[in-house]
Amino acid sequence: ESVPATKTIPPQVINPRLDNHIQNVPELTSCELTHHPLHSDFNLYESYSGLNQNPSHNNYFDVSNTCNFHNVGNFNLGFDFLEELIRAANCFDTHDLQLAQVILDRLHQRLRSPSGEPLQRAAFYFKEALQSLFTGSTWPNPVRLSSWSEIIQTIEAYKSFSGINPIPMFNHFTTNQALLEALDGSAPLIHIIDFDIGFGGQYASLMREMAERNDHSRKFIRITAVVPEEYSFETRLIEDNLNQFAQALRLRFQIEFVLLPTFETMSFKAFKFINGENTAILLSPSIFRCLGLQVAAFVSDLRRISPSVVVFVDSEVWMESGTTTSFRKNFVNCLEFYAMMFESLDAAGGEWVRKIETLLLRQRIFSAVEVAARTAAPAWREVFYEAGMRAVRLSQLADFQAESLLQKVQVRGFHVAKRRAELVLCWHKTALIATSVWRC
């Protein structure tokens, strides 16, 4: 489905106070790491800066045919390694692992490091991910952070990513706006169940907005986050920083963590619910990867708790359908997606581009290749509709926030579009992330 241009928002629908508030985002006030004295002055939620502009754009892909790279305009300008990479991916579908290893050995000689054009850098990481998939190796682990220094570097990379690319803030502010609209004027006790909390920085702006409202003294925010077993470093960091931030704003706040294996066993019975609280659910594709074919049961259990709102942030828009059985097709779509993302980073420029790719996007690529290789789960939209959930269009204020964010980043090539009831952030013709709101 083509993504139409976003409609212009009439100026009269914009609240002047919120207009002023949006012009100052992203403004994440600082919280310090309290358990690491060497980094006691490191600010997790401080403001981002250093936004650059670079209008360059090279379209490597023929988006009308993402499985045929022979139509790529720059194919014979040193990018013939794509054919080899896709042949290796095709070996997964044909179960010819011996041929795949021969091809990957050749690629190791050609793609020795993540350097060159965006497509070359993306191809290097996809080659590494494919090698890991075929061999079943787990080293070097692209996902786990094992020390404070690694966490610090990753947070710094994430802050830089948020400063030069609108994807993280688009996620945060569209989600927060949906929460504020759904929970505004509701019960004083708000319970947010988050299945993909990351480092938790997105809650800084939500708390600030709630603190600025006249009725904030009546609000009590509870967050329950579902996290992997090995998330001990991150949970302590998130809890300390968000508690400090809430205290500074004089908000009543509580956060709890539920381990993923516990949730897989107990489902929503693993959470504590309080009579009269208003519940919101935040989802991303990651939870569906963990649940596999149990998505329908998950959505059925979700409906039983009657949340006020369900916000779904689709960070895997490259997946055309959850039911496709072609690893090659998913692999190519994903490669195209990340090549475009790397290109959008190059358009902004800056010394942090390579670190962002290494510390953040590399692990996402490894995970994405694993997703493409697994037995497909049902398409989440179909499951939502079959369970009786209905999509709710985001407000014009959410549209305005997204447009204002792009003006702040000031990198040509990004635009906001609408697709069905989703609000979509695009880089030229490529959709990068989509936010949708659902009601039971």
Side-chain angles (χ1 to χ4, degrees), residues 81-187:
F81 56 80
L82 285 174
E83 185 174 25
E84 290 284 273
L85 187 59
I86 297 170
R87 283 184 61 204
N90 191 61
C91 290
F92 186 89
D93 288 327
T94 61
H95 306 289
D96 194 344
L97 303 187
Q98 185 175 3
L99 175 59
Q101 192 57 58
V102 171
I103 297 172
L104 287 172
D105 288 342
R106 290 200 298 263
L107 285 172
H108 288 323
Q109 300 302 314
R110 299 200 58 189
L111 299 171
R112 294 177 178 270
S113 64
S115 59
E117 297 295 324
L119 181 57
Q120 291 173 286
R121 304 197 305 271
F124 170 83
Y125 289 118
F126 274 85
K127 180 259 299 181
E128 296 288 294
L130 205 55
Q131 179 69 65
S132 177
L133 179 67
F134 282 131
T135 61
S137 62
T138 57
W139 187 92
N141 190 337
V143 178
R144 272 307 327 125
L145 302 176
S146 58
S147 68
W148 277 110
S149 61
E150 290 181 359
I151 291 177
I152 296 297
Q153 291 180 39
T154 303
I155 292 173
E156 289 178 335
Y158 188 80
K159 288 170 56 184
S160 298
F161 186 30
S162 301
I164 67 175
N165 191 292
I167 289 177
M169 290 296 111
F170 178 88
N171 173 359
H172 296 172
F173 287 108
T174 53
T175 299
N176 287 347
Q177 185 59 33
L179 291 175
L180 290 167
E181 291 173 4
L183 304 176
D184 187 34
S186 61

Side-chain angles (χ1 to χ4, degrees), residues 364-379:
R364 299 184 189 182
I365 288 171
F366 272 64
S367 296
V369 172
E370 289 181 4
V371 170
R374 292 180 184 177
T375 302

Side-chain angles (χ1 to χ4, degrees), residues 71-84:
N71 290 334
V72 177
N74 290 332
F75 184 83
N76 51 0
L77 297 179
F79 295 137
D80 53 307
F81 56 80
L82 285 174
E83 185 174 25
E84 290 284 273

Side-chain angles (χ1 to χ4, degrees), residues 186-237:
S186 61
L189 182 54
I190 296 171
H191 186 190
I192 301 172
I193 300 176
D194 195 333
F195 286 88
D196 192 5
I197 194 170
F199 286 109
Q202 62 271 28
Y203 289 108
S205 57
L206 178 65
M207 289 184 186
R208 176 176 291 280
E209 176 66 20
M210 297 191 72
E212 291 177 352
R213 298 193 171 202
N214 294 330
D215 63 345
H216 76 271
S217 60
R218 298 188 296 108
K219 297 296 184 185
F220 180 12
I221 304 174
R222 294 179 61 219
I223 296 175
T224 302
V226 178
V227 297
E229 286 184 283
E230 64 275 13
Y231 221 59
S232 58
F233 280 108
E234 291 86 343
T235 55
R236 187 171 63 177
L237 171 69

